[in-house]
Amino acid sequence: MVKVSMESSPYFQLACPSDVYHIVPPGASAPVRIRFTPDENKNYSHEITCITAKEKIVVPIRAIFARAILDFPAQVEFSECPVKYTTQKILLVRNVGNRTAHYQLSTQSPFSVVPTSGILGAGDAMRVTVRFHALTNGDYYGSLVVCCNPDEESIQIKLHGDAVELDIVLSTNSVEAGKTFITKSHQTTVVIKNKSNITAHFQWKALPTDEDDNEEKRRQSLFLHPSDEDWLENFMEEKEVEKEQGFCEDHTTLLRSRVQEIKAKAQKDPLLFSNDFFFIEPMEGEIGPHCSAKIKVTFEPLEALEYGSVAYCNISGAAPLPCFSPSQ
């Protein structure tokens, strides 16, 4: 015995009377017909309740007028991509639904997506660029979250990236300048060999990894905060000027703006190798596939001492390559 009921609604009605028991023999089924009568183009929802001797089952009813459907693939795969190198895939995405999509796209590092939001009409298409940029080799998994409209469910596209190191090497990992007189200089050449199929970008850095760079920038940022004494002195100066002239510029805002500018500039600093005795030229550049680049290392001593330093060659497609430069 199953009692079928539905709350009163101007849009949904049971074809049979509500709160009526139906006899359903073992192994058999019984149809329940619902009449839907909309009065405008929109989404509708209701529910039907089925009660047996042992349980109560609530069945949601959804009448969907229109929805946006973006035909993303189920998964985006990045196979054997160079580390520290941006690999991208362009997807042609169409709105196969019957409603305009006010979409938002989001993902997580080392994946990124462009555009992140916009409007796509029903039947229209757009290009979506998904990028993969890993700093170390290994497998990476993520998801691309697609939200079309506030009243529609989001979907997730699987992302997988495989980051590998390419065959990019230095001709030597140690530069020996040898004995050099004061006020004189000694030059040595190091060759970067790119045996891969990509154009590699290189930079001579002071620190080995991007994590070290970020930590150093955070450390520098702490010293950019004006002290309490600076804020107090600035405030007292403003009050003194205001007392004498009747008005005063907002120097506190100017000070805060100046600090923000310095911080932004510090964040963009690539932290390239810098030394008073060793000079590298060029400090950065590009090397085409299966090509080489000659790097000139110059040693200029100021005193009769033994000198040594380490520069890290940060190359897209390879781990940082240290070059140790001892001289005397």
Side-chain angles (χ1 to χ4, degrees), residues 53 66 135 288 291 299:
L135 299 180
C291 294
F299 171 53

Side-chain angles (χ1 to χ4, degrees), residues 69-72 90-97 99-101 103 105 114-115 118-129:
I69 303 174
L70 303 184
D71 62 344
F72 278 90
I90 299 177
L91 310 177
L92 182 62
V93 178
R94 186 179 300 277
N95 182 0
V96 296
R99 182 185 183 185
T100 297
Y103 64 85
L105 310 178
V114 176
I119 300 175
L120 187 65
D124 293 341
M126 65 175 178
R127 284 182 171 85
V128 175
T129 302

Side-chain angles (χ1 to χ4, degrees), residues 84-85 168 194 198-203 283-287 313-317:
K84 294 183 293 183
Y85 183 83
I168 302 175
N194 180 11
I198 71 166
T199 298
H201 180 267
F202 69 89
Q203 288 181 319
M283 291 291 289
E284 59 182 317
E286 292 187 342
I287 312 172
C313 191
N314 195 334
I315 308 177
S316 54

Side-chain angles (χ1 to χ4, degrees), residues 168-185:
I168 302 175
V169 297
L170 293 176
S171 58
T172 179
N173 288 335
S174 180
V175 175
E176 180 64 56
K179 293 184 178 181
T180 306
F181 293 102
I182 298 174
T183 72
K184 299 294 183 180
S185 64

Side-chain angles (χ1 to χ4, degrees), residues 268-287:
K268 294 180 180 179
D269 186 358
L271 297 180
L272 298 179
F273 175 78
S274 178
N275 190 276
D276 294 333
F277 317 106
F278 296 101
F279 306 92
I280 300 176
E281 186 183 1
M283 291 291 289
E284 59 182 317
E286 292 187 342
I287 312 172

Side-chain angles (χ1 to χ4, degrees), residues 121-147:
D124 293 341
M126 65 175 178
R127 284 182 171 85
V128 175
T129 302
V130 183
R131 296 189 176 101
F132 174 59
H133 186 102
L135 299 180
T136 56
N137 59 334
D139 281 323
Y140 295 84
Y141 296 89
S143 61
L144 173 62
V145 180
V146 182
C147 301

Side-chain angles (χ1 to χ4, degrees), residues 45-56:
S45 63
H46 203 46
E47 62 184 26
I48 184 173
T49 304
C50 302
I51 301 176
T52 69
K54 294 184 177 181
E55 61 183 339
K56 175 182 178 181

Side-chain angles (χ1 to χ4, degrees), residues 226-242 248-258:
S227 65
D228 294 339
E229 291 79 8
D230 291 335
W231 288 113
L232 179 59
E233 181 181 352
N234 185 74
F235 176 75
M236 296 304 294
E237 288 179 358
E238 287 184 356
K239 287 298 182 182
E240 189 66 27
V241 172
E242 185 176 5
C248 178
E249 282 189 80
D250 188 356
H251 292 289
T252 301
T253 301
L254 294 176
L255 177 60
R256 184 179 292 109
S257 176
R258 178 58 179 161

